[in-house]
């Protein structure tokens, strides 16, 4: 069977009290709508259709061409929302999976079970249900004496007895397309002036069909985000779900409640994360590393056996056995080869530190290339910017840069060269020579 998917996302989300459309609020580093987009895509193998309305332009802009859009204007309820997708989807698939953009914890495994259920029979409506102690505004599932689903009643319209029902409607369905599109046109206006998607359930029963349901185990999966309190709850749950997976995969966390790992991050076994570790975006961490406390790593690749203490890294690469911190900052284009040591207060931008090089204290290297085994003395600065342009500094293998050396770029320090403390290198320094002073001049050759 061929599946298509529709994600409802046109609602306003007034209770977020935000100028940002609700579905664009971030959870673990990305707009919450991305989760529905990814799970439906994983299950159907096709690009989902998103029904947008409030803040449509911003949603389009944020999500780009990862989904097809249809506009619902005005927003006349969930049934009306789904019917907007007919034009795009009629004739496109046999089964239509429907979910919400504000339910980021729903897994593709659960959606997959629903899809499988729908695929296994010919009834037109399959749906998820969940039993939860806290009904939280959900529609209630009505069943007959034999346990067959009869319909869904919205909380606002439920009788006191119906309000006692704890089997709830998460709002996730899978419909037979040929039944769905005409049926949507037969929904009548609710007392609230909306076309309720939930009415399809009662309609299918009336027509003699059986409603197929998959009852979910974990009510957390269907937490819908309506307020910033829900947003924080969902974030905490998702964070713990991710952390649990990594712990089971061999990563240690001293306190998992204080570790933040975004979904795209990967980690190797026997890595230990201390509290206050934040791993963002497309970050890859190798095996046997010790990271944190209080370390932020974004879009960075870290090799095996690195020790990174109280530091910040963005768009950088660290090979194996790098030892860094506390209080270092790697910025875009920093590349630390195997065995590099960076002590406290180092900043590196767009620079390569050759294997085994050391930069122990209070230094800045920008637009600089270091060969292997270079020693950068305390307080060294690559003066790479003259206020208009950036210039490059080159330091050869085994060079020894004395404390407080200013490297006025463009400048080359030859292999094995040394600078004296406080030198200001305005011109190239040949290999194996010692240069001192301001401006630095060569005073002798270094015998080897
Ligand atoms: C809906 C269900 C309810 C279910 C609950 C689960 C109906 C009538 N009720 O209620 O049984 O328990 O979800 O959360 O379907 N949307 C649109 N266009 C609209 C209205 C809504 O796109 O005109 C979207 C919203 O952006 C949201 C989703 O549909 O993503 C659900 O809408 P919402 O208003 O939150 O529905 P509920 O009243 O919670
Ligand atoms: Ca809702």
């Amino acid at each position: 069977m061929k599946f298509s998917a529709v994600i409802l996302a046109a609602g306003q989300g007034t209770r977020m009290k935000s100028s940002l459309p609700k579905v664009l609020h971030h959870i673990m580093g990305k707009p919450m709508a991305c989760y529905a987009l990814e799970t439906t895509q994983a299950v159907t193998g096709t690009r989902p259709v998103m029904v947008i309305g409030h803040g449509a332009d911003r949603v389009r802009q944020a999500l780009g061409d990862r989904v097809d859009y249809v506009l619902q204007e005005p927003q006349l309820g969930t049934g009306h929302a789904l019917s907007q997708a007919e034009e795009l989807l009629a004739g496109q698939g046999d089964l239509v999976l429907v979910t919400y953009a504000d339910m980021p914890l729903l897994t593709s495994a659960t959606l997959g079970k629903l899809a499988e259920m729908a695929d296994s029979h010919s009834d037109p409506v399959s749906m998820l249900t969940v039993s939860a102690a806290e009904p939280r505004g959900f529609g209630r599932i009505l069943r007959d004496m034999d346990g067959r689903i009869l319909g869904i009643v919205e909380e606002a319209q439920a009788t006191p007895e119906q309000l006692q029902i704890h089997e709830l409607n998460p709002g996730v369905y899978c419909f037979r397309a040929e039944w769905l599109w005409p049926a949507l046109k037969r929904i009548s206006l609710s007392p609230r002036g909306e076309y309720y998607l939930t009415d399809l359930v009662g309609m299918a029963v009336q027509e003699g069909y059986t409603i197929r349901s998959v009852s979910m185990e974990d009510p957390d999966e269907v937490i819908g985000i309506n307020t910033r309190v829900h947003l924080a709850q969902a974030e905490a749950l998702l964070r713990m779900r991710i952390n649990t997976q990594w712990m089971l995969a061999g990563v240690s966390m001293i306190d998992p409640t204080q570790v933040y790992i975004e979904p795209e991050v990967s980690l190797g076994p026997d890595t230990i994360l201390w509290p206050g570790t934040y791993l963002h975006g497309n970050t890859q961490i190798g095996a046997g590393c010790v990271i944190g406390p209080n370390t932020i790593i974004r879009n960075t690749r870290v090799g095996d056996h690195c020790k990174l203490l109280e530091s910040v890294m963005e768009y950088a690469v660290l090979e194996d056995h790098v030892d860094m911190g506390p209080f270092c900052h790697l910025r875009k284009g920093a590349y630390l080869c195997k065995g590099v040591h960076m002590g406290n207060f180092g900043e590196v931008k767009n620079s390569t530190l050759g294997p085994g090089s050391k930069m122990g204290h209070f230094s800045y290297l920008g637009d600089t290339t270091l060969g292997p085994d270079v020693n950068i003395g305390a307080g060294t600065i690559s003066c790479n910017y003259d206020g208009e342009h950036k210039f490059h500094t080159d330091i050869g293998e085994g060079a020894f840069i004395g404390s407080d050396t200013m490297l006025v770029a463009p400048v080359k320090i030859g292999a094995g060269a040394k600078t004296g403390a406080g030198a200001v290198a305005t011109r190239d320094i040949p290999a194996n020579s010692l240069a001192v002073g301001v401006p630095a001049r060569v005073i002798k050759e270094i015998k080897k």
Side-chain angles (χ1 to χ4, degrees), residues 7-13 15 22-23 51-53 72 74-82 99-103 135-141 152-155 157 168-173 190 192 194-199 222-226:
I7 301 167
L8 306 188
Q12 184 161 24
R15 284 186 285 159
K22 177 168 83 172
V23 298
V51 182
I52 53 175
Q72 184 200 18
Q75 287 88 40
L76 300 177
T78 46
H80 179 253
L82 180 55
T99 187
Y100 299 159
D102 61 1
M103 228 190 272
R136 208 166 159 154
F138 284 96
R140 308 296 203 270
I141 309 283
I152 297 166
V153 60
E154 290 307 293
E155 188 167 84
Q157 275 106 52
L168 311 172
N169 172 33
V172 182
Y173 319 87
S190 78
R192 289 228 164 160
E194 289 190 5
Y195 296 93
Y196 285 169
L197 185 54
T198 44
D199 284 1
V222 296
I223 288 183
I225 313 299
N226 297 315

Side-chain angles (χ1 to χ4, degrees), residues 253-331:
M253 298 180 196
I254 307 303
D255 179 355
T257 65
Q258 295 190 63
V259 168
Y260 175 99
I261 306 173
E262 288 182 358
E264 274 75 35
V265 172
S266 72
L267 291 135
D270 288 322
T271 281
I272 300 172
L273 305 179
W274 283 80
T277 293
Y278 295 80
L279 306 178
H280 296 269
N282 178 23
T283 288
Q284 295 151 42
I285 310 280
C289 295
V290 181
I291 299 179
N294 306 328
T295 293
I296 302 171
I297 307 182
R298 190 183 296 279
N299 298 315
T300 289
R301 184 156 60 80
V302 176
D304 298 336
H305 306 291
C306 291
K307 289 197 171 59
L308 312 174
L309 171 66
E310 299 251 12
S311 290
V312 176
M313 283 142 260
E314 315 165 85
Y315 298 92
V317 177
L318 290 73
E319 292 185 352
D320 299 345
H321 295 282
V322 168
D323 168 29
M324 184 164 63
F327 319 124
C328 290
H329 189 187
L330 299 186
R331 293 165 52 207

